[in-house]
Amino acid sequence: MDKINIGGIRMENMNNMNQQGNQQQPGNMPQNQPMQNHGGHELFDAHEVIAGIISMLDQYQMYDQHIQDPELKEILQRQSTFVTQAYNTIVQAFQTGQDPQVPTQQYEMEQNNNTVYGIKPGQPKKPNASINELSDQGLSAYMLGQTKSLTSLLAMTAVEMTNPVLRRVIADTVPNFIELSYEIFLYQNKHGYYQVPQLSQQDMNQMLNSYTTVPQQGTNLQ
């Protein structure tokens, strides 16, 4: 039997078009697809984080060719190994929305926590005239710039995540990048590359005593 014509369109064709339209509706997509585990804004932020980590690892490879100090080279290689695993963990969580095979690890730096305070006179800084002027001071500063930028980006991105697994992985990565940055700072400070000025003792005490605590209502805390 022929299908009924409605407005010049065969009923059979209308049914086919309806079926195709239903298949394109987001609500009818299979729920197990990874795309269902992420919001749109989250996808853009995750891409920015992952691309930033790739950039860091790529640039660390370039720095490694010019570093002279074995201590700085060891820091760079140790950080590269750790960040590579962090990258794999983030990518797996991002692609699946599930717990990654290797959970977020904890970075443990090998520098001590001693900071040298005070400013010593030195030569004014200026841009390098050529690549031949690259130094451990400059290369360690580039490394610190990378880790500090990613620390801020990771923290900002973590609060935009909708998938709970990716959110936790990104958030748990923030303390590690803080530690990476602190390790490079301590190396720079020890070698006089990153000097730390201080206020006078009187001004410091004034600043430290500018606030006081308040009792918490509804609790027995002192």
Side-chain angles (χ1 to χ4, degrees), residues 49-67:
V49 164
I50 294 170
I53 295 175
I54 290 174
S55 178
M56 172 190 171
L57 291 170
D58 288 348
Q59 292 187 58
Y60 265 37
Q61 290 182 35
M62 292 188 288
Y63 304 157
D64 191 27
Q65 301 176 40
H66 300 283
I67 290 176

Side-chain angles (χ1 to χ4, degrees), residues 4-152:
I4 302 174
N5 288 328
I6 299 180
I9 302 176
R10 290 173 58 86
M11 181 65 72
E12 182 179 11
N13 292 336
M14 290 184 63
N15 290 336
N16 290 337
M17 286 188 293
N18 288 336
Q19 290 175 1
Q20 292 174 0
N22 289 336
Q23 290 175 355
Q24 295 174 357
Q25 295 297 320
N28 292 327
M29 293 177 65
Q31 294 299 313
N32 60 351
Q33 288 190 7
M35 189 64 69
Q36 292 291 327
N37 293 323
H38 303 289
H41 188 86
E42 175 183 10
L43 290 174
F44 297 136
D45 279 353
H47 267 268
E48 188 173 359
V49 164
I50 294 170
I53 295 175
I54 290 174
S55 178
M56 172 190 171
L57 291 170
D58 288 348
Q59 292 187 58
Y60 265 37
Q61 290 182 35
M62 292 188 288
Y63 304 157
D64 191 27
Q65 301 176 40
H66 300 283
I67 290 176
Q68 300 298 317
D69 184 1
E71 182 185 12
L72 181 58
K73 187 179 286 284
E74 182 183 358
I75 291 173
L76 179 143
Q77 293 174 350
R78 187 169 62 251
Q79 290 194 359
S80 293
T81 299
F82 181 87
V83 173
T84 299
Q85 179 56 65
Y87 166 81
N88 289 335
T89 295
I90 292 172
V91 168
Q92 288 180 3
F94 173 63
Q95 291 182 334
T96 68
Q98 307 296 320
D99 287 333
Q101 286 183 321
V102 179
T104 306
Q105 305 295 298
Q106 182 176 355
Y107 184 74
E108 297 181 1
M109 66 177 188
E110 296 186 359
Q111 298 282 331
N112 59 45
N113 295 318
N114 299 328
T115 300
V116 179
Y117 294 95
I119 297 291
K120 294 180 180 179
Q123 294 296 320
K125 304 292 190 300
K126 62 180 176 59
N128 293 332
S130 72
I131 196 171
N132 295 326
E133 294 185 8
L134 285 174
S135 65
D136 290 337
Q137 178 176 359
L139 291 164
S140 59
Y142 310 152
M143 292 167 61
L144 183 59
Q146 294 263 265
T147 56
K148 288 175 68 174
S149 296
L150 280 168
T151 301
S152 299

Side-chain angles (χ1 to χ4, degrees), residues 183-220:
E183 181 176 43
I184 302 168
F185 155 73
L186 289 169
Y187 168 84
Q188 284 200 306
N189 176 252
K190 179 174 63 177
H191 291 275
Y193 304 153
Y194 194 136
Q195 300 188 55
V196 182
Q198 281 188 305
L199 299 177
S200 67
Q201 192 65 51
Q202 180 179 353
D203 290 346
M204 189 184 301
N205 289 338
Q206 182 65 38
M207 293 290 291
L208 290 171
N209 294 305
S210 296
Y211 307 95
T212 186
T213 58
V214 296
Q216 292 184 271
Q217 298 180 357
T219 69
N220 294 323

